[in-house]
Amino acid sequence: MSPEEWTYLVVLLISIPIGFLFKKAGPGLKRWGAAAVGLGLTLFTCGPHTLHSLITILGTWALIQAQPCSCHALALAWTFSYLLFFRALSLLGLPTPTPFTNAVQLLLTLKLVSLASEVQDLHLAQRKEMASGFSKGPSLGLLPDVPSLMETLSYSYCYVGIMTGPFFRYRTYLDWLEQPFPGAVPSLRPLLRRAWPAPLFGLLFLLSSHLFPLEAVREDAFYARPLPARLFYMVPVFFAFRMRFYVAWIAAECGCIAAGFGAYPVAAKARAGGGPSLQCPPPSSPEKAASLEYDYETIRNIDCCGTDFCVRVRDGMHYWNMTVQWWLAQYIYKSAPVRSYVLR
């Protein structure tokens, strides 16, 4: 394993005990404590390149404040334009960011586009209420208010999934901060059920990458082999690639589960990335909260069995990087100006 991979693994593993510390904390400590940990990790791994993420956040927040009714498209254009500039830094003769900066920037782009879309939905809902002349109850998934700059920064730098995902909406983040009875939300058992395959996947990754190292394909001797042998070599290389991501995403999900992040009652029928699809009133007492059955489907990012044993490419995409697949469907495909099959 490379030094960067070891750093990723350490960051993912330390997020699990940190999650247990934050689980029963109050909203203020959760918000600012989680943001402080995330910012500390970003500064430690990215150094001065942290400035890129700060510029992206400030630009998005300015667009939200200036044009709340159309900030989704503006934020999408701004964040992806800056991402293009970010990827071209070496071509422009500027310092090349670390791989950790790249990971933070990618996840931040997803989060800020989602936040802008949620603010736009809130603004449009408020305009409809004013036009109809009466007030409606809170809609499913709608924000209570437009987040301030500090609230936007706390969401952006929250340590949960800051480098590896899973992606989560600002509404999911708010629900975690305002969990009525976090002590009643189970963490340990769901974490153990989710974590048990990770050591096996890690062992398979080390074994396959040792027997079939990726560096071999960069050597001239590799291209002297027969074509069938070279094609076969791609199978164990891609297998090692999958095992590495399985371990990383399972560890990231365990960090969320330890903090009770993304926990919703089963009756809410939560979806990966999107959160609850049905309205489910919060429990009114610790006893009622403890009697509910919870799941962590909102932060579920990988279905290992479905990925490896599905028979259709469409199913494989559905089971792989699930929260990002929801993000693409929600904020790109559905808002595309042309509803053509080719574009989708």
Side-chain angles (χ1 to χ4, degrees), residues 102-320:
N102 180 62
V104 171
Q105 196 70 21
L106 287 174
L107 266 298
L108 185 62
T109 298
L110 302 181
K111 291 165 75 173
L112 291 176
V113 171
S114 171
L115 175 62
S117 179
E118 290 185 89
V119 171
Q120 180 174 303
D121 290 343
L122 172 63
H123 182 75
L124 294 177
Q126 290 174 340
R127 290 179 62 178
K128 287 182 179 179
E129 289 179 10
M130 292 177 62
S132 62
F134 62 90
S135 178
K136 297 181 180 179
S139 300
L140 179 64
L142 205 63
L143 298 184
D145 201 358
V146 177
S148 66
L149 176 58
M150 294 304 295
E151 291 169 339
T152 303
L153 287 168
S154 68
Y155 165 64
S156 301
Y157 286 117
C158 178
Y159 80 94
V160 176
I162 194 168
M163 292 184 185
T164 57
F167 158 77
F168 54 87
R169 302 166 61 215
Y170 186 76
R171 177 72 260 183
T172 303
Y173 172 70
L174 278 184
D175 290 342
W176 176 61
L177 297 180
E178 300 168 357
Q179 270 181 345
F181 305 102
V185 177
S187 287
L188 184 58
R189 286 189 178 180
L191 187 151
L192 295 176
R193 285 198 300 268
R194 188 67 187 118
W196 75 264
L200 174 61
F201 293 147
L203 182 62
L204 291 173
F205 163 71
L206 294 174
L207 181 63
S208 57
S209 59
H210 174 72
L211 296 176
F212 302 92
L214 179 61
E215 291 74 18
V217 304
R218 300 188 177 98
E219 300 174 357
D220 294 336
F222 177 80
Y223 297 94
R225 300 178 183 181
L227 179 60
R230 282 180 282 161
L231 291 176
F232 168 77
Y233 201 90
M234 297 300 102
V235 176
V237 165
F238 186 56
F239 177 81
F241 171 84
R242 293 201 313 279
M243 295 302 108
R244 179 178 62 178
F245 272 90
Y246 288 173
V247 173
W249 280 336
I250 288 175
E253 289 179 30
C254 288
C256 296
I257 294 171
F261 194 104
Y264 290 100
V266 173
K269 294 186 177 181
R271 298 167 296 175
S277 59
L278 295 177
Q279 195 74 259
C280 187
S284 57
S285 66
E287 292 75 18
K288 289 185 178 180
S291 66
L292 293 174
E293 184 181 358
Y294 295 86
D295 64 36
Y296 287 89
E297 289 301 312
T298 301
I299 51 87
R300 186 175 180 84
N301 209 32
I302 185 69
D303 185 330
C304 305
C305 183
T307 301
D308 271 308
F309 297 104
C310 65
V311 295
R312 297 189 301 176
V313 174
R314 180 179 180 181
D315 293 335
M317 293 179 64
H318 176 74
Y319 295 131
W320 176 269

